[in-house]
Structure formats: structure tokens, C-alpha cells
Amino acid sequence: MTGGTILVTGAAGGLQGQTGRHVSELLLSQGARVRAFVRKLDERAERLRSLGADVVVGDFLDYKSVERAVEGVSTVYFAYPVQEGLLEATAIMADAARKAGVRRLIDIVMLISAPDAPTPRMRENYLSERIFEWAGIGAAHVRATVFYENVLALTSATIARDGAVYLPWGSDETIVPLVSAQDVASVAVGALTSPSVTPGSSYPVIGEVLALRDIIAIFKRVLGRDVRYQEIPDKAWADAALGLGFNEHAVEHLSKLWQSIRTQTRRFAVTDTIRDLGGAKPQTFEAFVRGHQSAFTVKAAGDA
Ligand SMILES: NC(=O)c1ccc[n+]([C@@H]2O[C@H](COP(=O)([O-])OP(=O)(O)OC[C@H]3O[C@@H](n4cnc5c(N)ncnc54)[C@H](OP(=O)(O)O)[C@@H]3O)[C@@H](O)[C@H]2O)c1
């Protein structure tokens, strides 16, 4: 443990992997002092409070609220969702955390973070990492691949309705590196608390590497129904994703990511980080689907 209070942003958990919620709950279960940064007071915030968190309301893009949130904090978990504003949010947090004397900041970014990365969000991630390093606040980076939760969000409704997965992922031999958000959160908790983490380090997180045909086979096996893959054009996918409520920034990022995934020659492998920093074996995609089977059924009117 580094000691001191840990500020967890995105603590309520949103539409992606809810890593901030998992990180908060894991830290609280280990007896750490957690300050949970939430956008509004609702039942999610109330739950965090009941678990022992000090809940603070704020906005990543409101300097004063971030300044208040980092006061007296030694460590920060920074999880800015895939939406516009990452670099402004980074600059605000970097400046406020530096003034507050923060000694460690763990951010969550994409697996590939480089100036020539294939998506605009990944290139922003690269700059965000550098800004945090220049701030001298002990920044280190958790670099995660595509979340299982993301695959669920992209496939569950059409599997329920048509027994089909519509994606622009090329042939069913396309290889996709994946991970559960829970495992990403375990790695982040290890990075937040382990004495061995050095500033500027980065931790790639891959839980399983699957061909698309393996993913389809898992759906068939676990859901006990026929599931087919139908490749669709990029534009049709982007329109459907916007219709599902994905924001434009996320759709642009994911469109470029799918183009890169279906043409890549790079080899991916499961990383040791989940075991070494997270302290557990990676959850398999099959186990994840088993735990979320109800998401793949047609909801009756009035169902939550
Ligand atoms: N999805 C993937 O496959 C994937 C893969 C690799 C890396 N990542 C990284 O994972 C991170 C996403 O983390 P996550 O899964 O924990 O996100 P998430 O589940 O979408 O949660 C986002 C949280 O941020 C809060 N929030 C949004 N805008 C805010 C604002 N302006 N001020 C304060 N709080 C705000 C939301 O609050 P409300 O719900 O109240 O709005 C929510 O609690 C991103 O950095 C992304 O780069 C994602």
C-alpha cells in the first residue's frame, strides 16, 4: 500500500467497463481510504458511500471541482470515458494533482498508445500519458485492450433479436485481443497500491486472444442457440452504433479500431499483468458470457 487517500474518478461506473466502480469496490474491500469522484449523487453514489467511500461530486472539465477532489489525496485513478475532452481533462487533473502533491497517478488508456497509433483517441492517449509524466506526479499507465463489456454492448441486442452478430470485422479468422473490465480494474488496483510501480511504467492488459470464429462458437455453446456472423460495411456499423447511443468520438475511435483489427499482422498474447499486479488468472470470455446470459435475451416491454 502507498498509504493515504486514493481518489477514484469515474467511480459510479458508466456505459463502458465501469472500471472506476470496480476499482473503488476492490480498494474498499482491502481497507483502503477511497474518495469517489462522481458526476451526480444517485443510487450508485449512495452505494459507494454505504461501502465506506468519501463521495465527492465533480466534473473532469471543471477545474475547481477537480482541485477540491484532489485536496489531501496521495494517489489518483484517472479514467476518462471515450468521449470528447480527454486532453483538457488531463491538463486540469495534472495541474491540480501537482499542486496537491499527489505521488502516484494511474491512468487507463488503450492497448496501443503512440503518436502513430491507428485511432485519434489512441493518439490523444499518448499525449495524455506524457502530460501526466511531465507533471511529476508518479504517473504510470494501464494499457487495456477491448473490454468483453464492449463486445457484449455491440452484439447482445442483435443476437437476441436475429441470432446474428453484425460487425465490420472482416473474415471470421480476424484475431481480437480482449479482456474483462474487472481484470483491468484488478491490474489498476495493483498499480495504485504496489510499492514496485515506477513512474513512466506502462502495463499492457490482455486477458484472452480469440479469432472471431471462436467468439461465435462461444456464443453458440453458452447461449445454446445458433449464432451467425455477418460482415457489414463500416458506414452501416457506424450508423447502427450511433443509434445504440454511442457518442461520435467513440464511434470514430471504434471505426478506426475495427479497420486496424481486420488488417493487422501484429501477434497478440495474454499478458502476465493480470496475474502479477491483479493477483488472479484472467477471466475467460466464455465465463464472462456465462455470467451475462440474460443480456442476450429479448426484453419484454417494461423489463429493465
Ligand atoms: N471500452 C473499452 O473496450 C476500453 C478498452 C480499453 C481502454 N478503455 C478505457 O477505459 C476507460 C473507460 O473507463 P470505464 O469503462 O470505467 O468508463 P465508464 O464505465 O463509461 O464510466 C465512466 C464514468 O465517468 C463518469 N463521467 C463521464 N463524464 C464525466 C465528467 N465530465 N465528469 C465526471 N465524471 C464523468 C460517468 O459518470 P455518469 O455515468 O454519471 O455520467 C461514469 O461514472 C477509458 O479511458 C477508455 O480509454 C476502454
Side-chain angles (χ1 to χ4, degrees):
M1 277 281 177
T2 54
T5 299
I6 302 175
L7 175 71
V8 180
T9 65
L15 298 173
Q16 295 171 40
Q18 308 198 343
T19 62
R21 180 173 70 79
H22 294 309
V23 165
S24 300
E25 291 180 3
L26 274 168
L27 286 170
L28 288 165
S29 73
Q30 294 173 8
R33 281 198 296 279
V34 171
R35 183 172 297 164
F37 187 75
V38 299
R39 195 145 56 157
K40 54 179 182 280
L41 292 177
D42 57 13
E43 65 285 353
R44 298 171 301 171
E46 210 36 64
R47 177 177 151 72
L48 289 165
R49 207 192 300 273
S50 72
L51 293 173
D54 167 25
V55 175
V56 293
V57 176
D59 188 312
F60 280 113
L61 302 178
D62 171 16
Y63 189 97
K64 285 284 169 200
S65 70
V66 175
E67 191 177 44
R68 279 193 298 275
V70 292
E71 199 182 319
V73 152
S74 65
T75 308
V76 174
Y77 174 65
F78 181 85
Y80 190 81
V82 185
Q83 62 190 26
E84 290 288 345
L86 172 64
L87 293 182
E88 186 179 353
T90 299
I92 289 172
M93 178 59 81
D95 189 57
R98 181 181 172 84
K99 285 187 193 156
V102 164
R103 296 191 298 279
R104 181 173 299 179
L105 178 143
I106 302 300
D107 56 358
I108 161 130
V109 297
M110 312 283 174
L111 185 64
I112 301 168
S113 178
D116 58 352
T119 87
R121 171 56 179 237
M122 290 171 169
R123 298 192 288 272
E124 279 186 11
N125 279 156
Y126 169 79
L127 293 174
S128 174
E129 289 183 347
R130 299 296 77 73
I131 292 167
F132 281 135
E133 287 177 19
W134 299 334
I137 50 178
H141 323 291
V142 172
R143 294 183 176 167
T145 189
V146 178
F147 296 170
Y148 295 160
E149 285 77 358
N150 215 348
V151 177
L152 180 133
L154 295 168
T155 60
S156 55
T158 59
I159 289 179
R161 193 187 64 212
D162 304 338
V165 168
Y166 304 112
L167 285 169
W169 282 13
S171 87
D172 70 355
E173 288 175 19
T174 295
I175 301 291
V176 195
L178 296 168
V179 71
S180 81
Q182 180 86 52
D183 283 339
V184 175
S186 305
V187 172
V189 167
L192 287 161
T193 56
S194 162
S196 65
V197 168
T198 51
S201 328
S202 58
Y203 300 95
V205 194
I206 299 177
E208 191 164 25
V209 181
L210 294 170
L212 178 50
R213 65 169 171 276
D214 303 326
I215 294 173
I216 299 295
I218 288 168
F219 284 142
K220 286 184 184 171
R221 192 158 58 240
V222 174
L223 304 177
R225 62 174 294 181
D226 195 29
V227 177
R228 69 194 162 83
Y229 165 60
Q230 185 176 324
E231 186 182 6
I232 58 171
D234 290 324
K235 172 82 171 68
W237 179 80
D239 290 344
L242 288 168
L244 281 174
F246 281 72
N247 67 61
E248 285 185 17
H249 176 90
V251 170
E252 188 190 7
H253 159 67
L254 289 171
S255 295
K256 292 280 191 316
L257 181 62
W258 306 151
Q259 287 166 26
S260 145
I261 276 181
R262 69 180 185 240
T263 55
Q264 78 209 336
T265 49
R266 183 178 161 166
R267 285 182 181 276
F268 296 100
V270 173
T271 56
D272 294 335
T273 45
I274 300 173
R275 188 197 59 209
D276 294 350
L277 274 173
K281 284 201 320 202
Q283 185 185 28
T284 63
F285 184 66
E286 180 151 351
F288 175 83
V289 176
R290 272 189 209 292
H292 291 81
Q293 288 187 57
S294 63
F296 295 88
T297 53
V298 178
K299 305 275 182 298
D303 283 3

